Amino acid sequence: MFSKKLSIFLSIFLISLLGALFFIGGAMRATGGVPTAPLDDTFIHFQYAKQIAHGNWFRYFPTAPISTGATSFLYPIILAGGYIIGFTGLKLLWFAFFLGFLCLIATGYLIFNCGIYFKLKPGQALWIALLTISNGYLLWGYFSGMEIALQTFLTLTAIIVAAQETNKGKLKWLPIWLVLLTLIRPEGFIAGALIAFYI
């Protein structure tokens, strides 16, 4: 017999998997089986990731000057890790999809825990989490190959950690989460400032 925690995790995992299969599979049906992304910005990140993997940090091509063409500082560095381990060319999309999938699972679990924190019943918190991670707009963002999934995950984490650590009267991990949030996108700084104002 499954424990309650395991059944909650499996529910979130399965809905995340169905969402990933629905979005990625639908896109690949439209392209004849070729993995794709809905924005050309995704491939700008991929180009920066490729250059970082080759030691050309934030240069769009080897002889170009360092530029700020990427909308994220941290995301191309993470993608470069995928490039280094063999996800080159269009295969880098699969690495980005996998990151989106992990973030979708984590998002569901964070929303569930947020519901529990605010005294919802486990069934209610799980229902809210499942409705959120099955939302079409969210799936589009998470499987667009962009940094949306990581930004959302880091924002939720920072909010929940801020609430928990404020109640305990001691900030321990929040500064680290806020730094990561700021590095993932410029808007992360605004979110961090709002969290600081809340504290």
Side-chain angles (χ1 to χ4, degrees):
M1 186 164 201
F2 289 130
S3 69
K4 191 175 284 187
K5 282 186 178 180
L6 183 58
S7 64
I8 288 165
F9 174 78
L10 284 176
S11 299
I12 292 169
F13 176 85
L14 287 173
I15 294 298
S16 297
L17 182 61
L18 287 172
L21 291 173
F22 173 77
F23 188 85
I24 298 168
M28 289 180 69
R29 275 194 303 277
T31 61
V34 179
T36 187
L39 296 170
D40 60 351
D41 292 29
T42 301
F43 299 99
I44 294 172
H45 281 312
F46 287 7
Q47 178 65 14
Y48 278 105
K50 174 184 174 182
Q51 292 305 318
I52 291 169
H54 289 144
N56 301 312
W57 286 75
F58 292 97
R59 299 177 191 273
Y60 197 71
F61 51 90
T63 58
I66 292 173
S67 68
T68 56
T71 52
S72 171
F73 177 77
L74 186 59
Y75 188 57
I77 295 172
I78 294 169
L79 290 176
Y83 191 93
I84 289 167
I85 62 174
F87 290 91
T88 58
L90 271 182
K91 288 187 284 186
L92 194 55
L93 266 173
W94 290 109
F95 185 76
F97 290 157
F98 182 67
L99 285 176
F101 177 62
L102 292 180
C103 286
L104 191 62
I105 294 168
T107 296
Y109 204 69
L110 285 166
I111 290 172
F112 170 78
N113 283 319
C114 190
I116 296 300
Y117 179 82
F118 287 107
K119 312 298 183 192
L120 292 179
K121 294 177 181 177
Q124 294 170 325
L126 180 60
W127 183 240
I128 291 169
L130 295 180
L131 285 174
T132 302
I133 62 174
S134 61
N135 180 281
Y137 294 108
L138 190 79
L139 292 173
W140 185 94
Y142 274 47
F143 296 107
S144 66
M146 296 289 288
E147 68 275 22
I148 297 166
L150 278 170
Q151 183 187 16
T152 307
F153 162 71
L154 289 171
T155 303
L156 283 170
T157 302
I159 290 168
I160 291 169
V161 170
Q164 291 172 340
E165 292 188 352
T166 302
N167 282 351
K168 291 177 182 175
K170 184 179 181 183
L171 299 181
K172 184 178 179 182
W173 298 106
L174 182 61
I176 295 171
W177 289 112
L178 290 179
V179 167
L180 292 173
L181 178 59
T182 301
L183 292 175
I184 199 66
R185 269 193 74 86
E187 296 90 337
F189 177 80
I190 298 171
L194 290 171
I195 290 168
F197 179 75
Y198 161 78
I199 292 170

